[in-house]
């Protein structure tokens, strides 16, 4: 993992303008060597200038110490080295200064200009000094040696540090760009991981909602009818034994149907257990199943129930008949040409009517209910509207619990297919549920 931000700043902290202590120690050492060099070269300079040797030494030490500022002000260091070139001192400062200048983040025109000035100054001073030496007889070479020595010296003191500095600066900038790119990629990967975790959490929530909706749709209606018939059975058990027997038979049939549908769904959910027996499943803890697989299994179960046992719109009359058998007055009307739809459309339409009738049993027992189904060109519309219950106290007399998920589940189903769902109380005191689902 790369070092970024405040961690990197803390790791690279140094005194003053240095990023590392190691860099500060290196610059201090170079400045000390440069000060000693310039101080030693200040003695002949003072003799030639006719000043005391101590003044030349102090001047040389002060000039050489400027190298300590090479990272902060490389341009100033190079200018000082150019200024003391006529005194034949500061060779180390000139070389190191040019290298630092070429490697620093300064415009190229400044690097070229200062390098050219250093080259020209060194060329002139070397040319003059070599020519004076030959005039005094210290050198016995030919006239060709003067320009050769001046050119070779100036190139040797200028070209290598500049080229090396340009290379090191380019490499440093490349490494910095790669580091920044690595940091950016790391941040992007962290962001992607966070988004993936959010999507996974969202998917888990969706699967939980989906499983709850499927279980609610499959079981709630029949269990609600069972409770209604059980309440009726309790009321007529002594007065009308024959009716009590019929209600008991209806309760048994609906209970068996609910168990069958529930077993169907649980069987699909457990289909991935690998054939483990009951004893094994009891003795050994069952490993957790991914929610995506559970959701897929629930959807598969619902689809299987829809395809094999329903629900289909053709079974709508049977659904209404079950509610009528439970004591509800239901009026069913169908408009348009009856035709088949996709499984999801028929299942959703059936579930909307089923859940609406279940809510009538729960909250408006005994109320007259109108169920309307309209087959249109590009859509199918349904509406379940109940009148106010005959007795206000009869609402919820059967003791049916309500989890508040019915309307939410219907809305999710309809809007999931691109339809429109509306529900709410009527002016007459009843309740209306309306839905329109695209046929395709």
């Amino acid at each position: 993992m790369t070092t970024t931000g405040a961690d990197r700043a803390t790791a690279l902290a140094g005194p003053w303008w240095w990023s590392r202590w190691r860099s500060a120690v290196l610059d201090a050492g170079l400045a000390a060597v440069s000060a000693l060099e310039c101080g030693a070269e200040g003695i002949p300079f003072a003799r030639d200038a006719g000043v005391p040797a101590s003044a030349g030494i102090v001047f040389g030490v002060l000039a050489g110490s400027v190298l300590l500022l090479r990272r902060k002000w490389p341009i100033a260091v190079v200018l000082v080295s150019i200024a003391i070139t006529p005194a034949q001192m500061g060779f180390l400062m000139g070389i190191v200064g040019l290298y630092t200048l070429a490697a620093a983040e300064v415009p190229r025109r400044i690097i070229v200009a200062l390098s050219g000035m250093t080259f020209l100054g060194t060329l002139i001073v070397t040319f003059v000094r070599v020519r004076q030496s030959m005039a005094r007889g210290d050198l016995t070479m030919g006239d060709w040696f003067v320009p050769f020595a001046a050119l070779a010296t100036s190139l040797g003191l200028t070209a290598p540090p500049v080229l090396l500095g340009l290379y090191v600066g380019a490499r440093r900038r490349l490494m910095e760009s790669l580091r920044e790119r690595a940091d950016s990629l790391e941040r992007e990967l962290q962001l992607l991981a966070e988004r993936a975790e959010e999507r996974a959490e969202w998917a888990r929530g969706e699967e939980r909602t989906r499983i709850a909706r499927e279980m609610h749709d499959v079981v709630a209606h029949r269990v609600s009818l069972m409770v209604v018939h059980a309440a009726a059975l309790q009321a007529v058990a002594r007065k009308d034994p024959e009716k009590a027997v019929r209600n008991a038979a209806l309760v048994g049939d609906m209970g068996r149907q609910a168990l069958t549908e529930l077993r169907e769904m649980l069987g699909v959910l457990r289909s991935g257990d690998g054939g483990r027996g009951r004893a094994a499943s009891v003795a050994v803890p069952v490993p957790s199943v991914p929610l995506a697989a559970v959701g897929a299994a629930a959807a598969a179960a619902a689809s299987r129930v829809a395809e094999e046992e329903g629900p289909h719109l053709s079974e709508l009359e049977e659904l209404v008949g079950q509610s009528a058998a439970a004591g509800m007055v239901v009026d069913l009307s169908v408009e348009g040409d009856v035709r088949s739809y996709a499984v999801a459309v028929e299942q959703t339409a059936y579930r909307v009517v089923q859940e609406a009738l279940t809510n009538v049993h729960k909250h408006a027992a005994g109320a007259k209910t109108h169920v309307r189904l309209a087959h249109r060109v590009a859509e199918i519309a349904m509406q379940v509207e109940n009148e106010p219950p005959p007795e206000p106290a009869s609402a919820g007399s059967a003791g049916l619990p309500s989890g508040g998920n019915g309307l939410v589940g219907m809305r999710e189903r309809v809007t999931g297919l691109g339809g429109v769902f509306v529900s709410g109380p009527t002016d007459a005191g009843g309740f209306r549920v309306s839905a329109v689902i695209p046929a395709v």
Side-chain angles (χ1 to χ4, degrees):
M1 183 176 293
T2 59
T3 304
T4 59
D7 296 336
R8 184 181 173 192
T10 304
L12 303 182
W16 295 336
W17 57 82
W18 286 282
S19 60
R20 300 182 179 88
W21 279 96
R22 181 178 61 185
S23 302
V25 173
L26 175 62
D27 289 354
L30 290 174
V33 174
S34 176
L36 291 176
E37 177 205 351
C38 293
E41 294 170 344
I43 298 175
F45 168 72
R47 184 176 58 250
D48 295 340
V51 297
S54 59
I57 294 174
V58 172
F59 173 75
V61 171
L62 293 177
S65 300
V66 177
L67 189 60
L68 187 66
L69 309 175
R70 71 183 187 96
R71 297 180 190 268
K72 184 69 173 177
W73 296 297
I75 298 177
V77 173
V78 175
L79 289 175
V80 171
S81 68
I82 295 173
I84 64 176
T85 299
Q88 285 191 318
M89 64 174 60
F91 295 103
L92 176 62
M93 184 170 60
I95 294 174
V96 177
L98 284 177
Y99 163 78
T100 306
L101 179 67
E105 296 287 342
V106 296
R108 289 296 178 88
R109 62 179 181 274
I110 296 179
I111 298 176
V112 172
L114 294 180
S115 300
M117 293 171 60
T118 303
F119 174 81
L120 185 61
T122 306
L123 180 66
I124 294 174
V125 171
T126 304
F127 185 88
V128 172
R129 292 294 183 176
V130 173
R131 191 174 185 83
Q132 290 176 353
S133 298
M134 291 186 66
R136 289 194 304 265
D138 296 339
L139 294 176
T140 57
M141 306 295 293
D143 293 339
W144 61 269
F145 182 72
V146 177
F148 173 77
L151 186 61
T153 302
S154 58
L155 283 175
L157 295 177
T158 306
V162 171
L163 295 177
L164 181 61
L166 291 175
Y167 167 75
V168 173
R171 185 176 180 274
R172 184 182 303 159
R173 287 187 289 272
L174 175 62
M175 295 300 296
E176 186 66 23
S177 65
L178 292 177
R179 187 180 296 111
E180 291 178 357
R181 185 175 180 181
D183 295 343
S184 177
L185 290 176
E186 182 179 356
R187 289 191 295 269
E188 290 180 2
L189 288 176
Q190 292 177 353
L191 182 60
L192 289 176
E194 293 175 358
R195 290 181 178 176
E197 182 64 25
E198 292 176 358
R199 287 195 296 268
E201 185 65 27
W202 176 82
R204 287 192 289 268
E206 286 293 317
E207 295 304 330
R208 292 190 185 99
T209 304
R210 189 175 179 181
I211 294 171
R213 185 169 61 244
E214 297 296 337
M215 297 291 290
H216 179 274
D217 290 342
V218 169
V219 180
H221 179 72
R222 298 192 186 280
V223 173
S224 299
L225 292 180
M226 289 172 59
V227 174
V228 173
H229 281 289
L233 176 63
Q234 184 179 5
V236 301
R238 296 181 178 180
K239 297 180 181 180
D240 192 350
E242 294 182 2
K243 187 175 181 180
V245 171
R246 290 196 300 272
N247 287 341
L250 287 174
V251 171
D253 292 339
M254 292 179 183
R256 282 187 290 272
Q257 292 176 3
L259 287 175
T260 300
E261 293 179 354
L262 182 60
R263 189 180 297 112
E264 184 76 18
M265 292 188 66
L266 294 179
V268 176
L269 290 175
R270 292 178 177 177
S271 61
D273 291 347
R276 289 192 296 269
R278 180 180 300 176
S281 64
V282 173
V284 182
V286 179
S288 61
V289 181
L291 284 172
V294 176
S303 300
R304 184 173 174 184
V305 171
E307 293 177 0
E308 295 181 359
E309 301 181 3
H312 297 283
L313 289 178
S314 58
E315 303 175 11
L316 201 58
E317 294 184 1
E318 180 181 355
L319 176 66
V320 172
Q322 294 175 355
S323 296
M328 179 188 297
V329 180
V330 188
D331 178 22
L332 173 64
S333 62
V334 180
E335 301 175 2
D337 297 331
V338 178
R339 63 182 188 274
S340 61
Y341 299 91
V343 175
V345 174
E346 292 207 11
Q347 180 182 5
T348 301
Y350 182 93
R351 294 301 188 193
V352 168
V353 177
Q354 182 186 56
E355 181 60 29
L357 292 177
T358 303
N359 289 340
V360 176
H361 284 293
K362 290 180 179 180
H363 307 292
K368 185 176 181 179
T369 305
H370 303 276
V371 178
R372 299 180 180 88
L373 184 68
H375 299 274
R376 300 171 182 171
V377 177
E379 60 189 15
I380 179 174
M382 64 226 63
Q383 177 178 291
V384 179
E385 179 180 351
N386 64 274
E387 300 177 358
E391 298 179 6
S394 65
S397 59
L400 290 171
S402 177
N405 297 318
L407 294 176
V408 176
M410 284 190 285
R411 185 181 302 277
E412 290 177 351
R413 283 182 176 275
V414 173
T415 56
L417 296 178
V420 178
F421 178 84
V422 178
S423 63
T426 62
D427 297 336
F431 199 85
R432 180 188 298 116
V433 173
S434 302
V436 178
I437 306 174
V440 181

